[in-house]
Every structure is written in C-alpha cells, then in structure tokens.
Amino acid sequence: MTLAPERPCRPASGTGTGTTVSLIDIAETVFQNLPGYRAEILGGQLIVTPPADPPHAESLTDVMDPLPAAKPRQGETRVVQAVGVWLPTGDEDYAIPDLSIVDADFRDHMAQYNCVDPAVFRVVFELTSSNWRDDLDRKPEHYARAGVPVYVIGDRKHGEVIVLTDPHDGEYRTRSFHRPGESFVLPESVGGKVELEVDSLLSE
C-alpha cells in the first residue's frame, strides 16, 4: 500500500489554516496501530507492507542459519533483521530490509529515527511479498544511491534469486540470476565467503 506524501490535518481551532503531518509521523502511527506491519518511506512515498506470511518467515530463518558460520573473521560483522537504512534519496527516506549483514560497530553509526547510516551495510536481503514490485523496481535505485554494495532479492513471485552488485549513480551495474536447485556465492566484501542455496530464499 502506498500513501500520498502528505495529508492535511484538521485546522487548529481559531487559526483558519491547515497543518500537515510528516510521513515519519504517519509511519509511527502505522507502527503503533498495525502490529506486524512495516512502514518505509521511498522517494517521498510511504510504503506499508503487511506482516510476513509463514513461508517468508521460514525463508529468513533458512538464510540466517548459515550466515554466522560462514564468517571467517569473527567479530567483524553482524547479521541483523529489520534494521532500518537511512537513505539519501529524500529528507525522510528509509527502508527496512528483511535481513542485513552490517559492520559489527553499526550501533555507533545511528542516523535519524532509529535508522543506521548506510555505510555500515555490506549486504541487504529482501524476500518479496504482496508488494513485490517495490523490492524489484524501487528499492534497487534507493539502495544503490545509498551505496549498499550488495542487494539480494529472493523473488518468490518469479521463482529466482537476483544478486545486485557494483552500485553507481543510482543503479547496480552487475546483476546475476539464480534458479531453484542452484547455489550462489556472495562477494567477499560481505566479510568472507558466503555460499547460499537459492531454495532457502524461496520457501512456499
């Protein structure tokens, strides 16, 4: 679900003028009143995603399990869920990837509204849900402009995994596609050799 950038509130008593509510304020309202829903702001639009279905949740677990063991340099990175990335594409823009590998000191790089500076993100994972077009069409530009070096999409809509690398001028210049039954290796910029099974990101 996508909401307009701003919506007017009722004028304050006696002023005759309207006020506006920021997208951040609306996102906070979503968080407080719709448990499990995720609110993100991309390019000045509020994107609201419903709670994950069981296969989505299972895929996240399947992906998380091998990641810590794959790190050869313990203590250099962390594997985290639902940590917000503060984006440079708008005054209030941020995204909340399903899963990320970040620098171990990511807590020292907090940005606004409990989000984290994108410089500490080594890879972000998104598993598509009902609003799959956001993950496939909109987020690549935003993550690329933020300089996130690797973006992995578990495209459950089309049954494939897409690995995007080499961000430059708002786009990823390298894309690789992987089908069920295959495995793929992430760039070592994530902190070491990490090999994942495509099927782990495409639970049904």
Side-chain angles (χ1 to χ4, degrees), residues 4-132:
E6 290 185 339
R7 62 185 184 190
C9 292
R10 181 178 299 171
S13 176
T15 64
T17 61
T19 59
T20 60
V21 176
S22 73
L23 287 178
I24 289 289
D25 290 336
I26 301 173
E28 178 65 20
T29 299
V30 171
F31 175 76
Q32 293 179 354
N33 293 281
L34 296 174
Y37 281 73
R38 179 174 58 179
E40 302 169 289
I41 300 174
L42 302 175
Q45 289 187 313
L46 180 64
I47 310 298
V48 179
T49 304
D53 56 31
H56 186 286
E58 289 178 359
S59 286
L60 283 179
T61 299
D62 290 343
V63 173
M64 283 190 67
D65 282 346
L67 288 179
K71 293 186 303 179
R73 296 184 290 276
Q74 294 295 325
E76 182 178 306
T77 59
R78 293 286 186 271
V79 180
V80 294
Q81 292 189 58
V83 170
V85 185
W86 192 250
L87 299 171
T89 52
D91 291 341
E92 298 179 301
D93 280 9
Y94 70 93
I96 306 176
D98 290 317
L99 189 68
S100 305
I101 299 177
V102 297
D103 292 347
D105 64 349
F106 74 100
R107 294 186 184 183
D108 297 332
H109 299 272
M110 300 302 294
Q112 299 185 61
Y113 300 103
N114 211 33
C115 292
V116 180
D117 190 305
V120 306
F121 286 80
R122 301 195 181 194
V123 58
V124 296
F125 294 84
E126 296 281 12
L127 307 183
T128 59
S129 300
S130 56
N131 58 345
W132 52 271

Side-chain angles (χ1 to χ4, degrees), residues 59-60 62-63 67 98-99 123-128 135-136 140 150-165 174-187 194-204:
S59 286
L60 283 179
D62 290 343
V63 173
L67 288 179
D98 290 317
L99 189 68
V123 58
V124 296
F125 294 84
E126 296 281 12
L127 307 183
T128 59
D135 293 332
L136 294 176
V150 183
Y151 175 25
V152 178
I153 308 169
D155 183 1
R156 299 191 298 159
K157 174 70 174 178
H158 302 101
E160 62 185 4
V161 169
I162 309 168
V163 180
L164 309 181
T165 59
T174 303
R175 295 177 175 235
S176 59
F177 298 83
H178 308 276
R179 305 295 295 177
E182 299 176 353
S183 62
F184 62 97
V185 178
L186 296 178
V194 178
E195 183 173 1
L196 297 172
E197 301 292 331
V198 169
D199 292 347
S200 67
L201 284 85
L202 301 177
S203 295
E204 297 181 357

